Amino acid sequence: MNLPLIHISEKPLELEKITQMVTDDGCGAIDIFVGTVRNQTKGKPVLKLDFEAYEKMAISEMAKLAEEASERWPVKKMAIHHRVGTLGIGETAVIIAVSTPHRNASFEACKFVIDTLKQTVPIWKKEIFEDGEVWVAAHP
């Protein structure tokens, strides 16, 4: 089954498949950002994270980010995949993969997309601790 380039899923993200989706013979660079669930925040142990999304709007905003990045850099292909639901420590929450002819454009476009995604895309994260839980801002 082919996955869309922009995708939100309750299932684990597949790095190899996403990498293949952006591979292009005309490109000498693929930059991939993989965001994972860490086991602590500000020194406090985290048990797991819950992600929720306003999916229709999130997909639309992620597509806009891909378009904007393609206008700024010579992006050949881009995939943006994000998880929702409950994720354990070490699980992958987001993968952004960008292919370009040269590496600098790939690095810059990928950084732009993850930084902007966290600011503009309606996906929310709740941190769950042993003694409670808290919804956190994209940029704590």
Side-chain angles (χ1 to χ4, degrees):
M1 178 178 123
N2 289 334
L3 292 169
L5 291 171
I6 308 295
H7 189 58
I8 293 176
S9 177
E10 294 181 6
K11 297 179 180 176
L13 303 180
E14 299 179 68
L15 180 59
E16 184 64 33
K17 283 186 179 177
I18 294 168
T19 302
Q20 290 173 358
M21 293 170 65
V22 302
T23 298
D24 186 279
D25 289 343
C27 292
I30 296 175
D31 190 72
I32 299 171
F33 173 81
V34 178
T36 59
V37 177
R38 66 177 174 266
N39 66 359
Q40 60 81 29
T41 186
K42 299 178 183 173
K44 186 173 183 176
V46 172
L47 300 177
K48 57 189 171 183
L49 298 179
D50 275 342
F51 288 91
E52 291 187 11
Y54 175 17
E55 191 167 332
K56 185 175 179 182
M57 183 176 234
I59 293 286
S60 173
E61 291 300 311
M62 290 159 66
K64 286 180 189 174
L65 288 177
E67 283 182 37
E68 188 172 342
S70 295
E71 291 171 5
R72 291 181 173 198
W73 295 277
V75 173
K76 188 71 171 184
K77 295 179 182 174
M78 177 180 292
I80 306 171
H81 287 216
H82 206 296
R83 283 281 305 273
V84 291
T86 302
L87 280 70
I89 304 305
E91 286 193 78
T92 300
V94 61
I95 297 175
I96 297 170
V98 181
S99 61
T100 62
H102 302 284
R103 68 180 178 275
N104 281 341
S106 191
F107 289 141
E108 292 170 4
C110 193
K111 183 178 183 331
F112 165 77
V113 171
I114 186 59
D115 289 348
T116 309
L117 181 148
K118 292 181 72 107
Q119 295 172 351
T120 65
V121 175
I123 297 174
W124 303 278
K125 174 174 73 175
K126 181 169 56 177
E127 294 176 331
I128 300 163
F129 309 100
E130 286 185 8
D131 62 350
E133 56 192 41
V134 62
W135 287 100
V136 294
H139 292 283

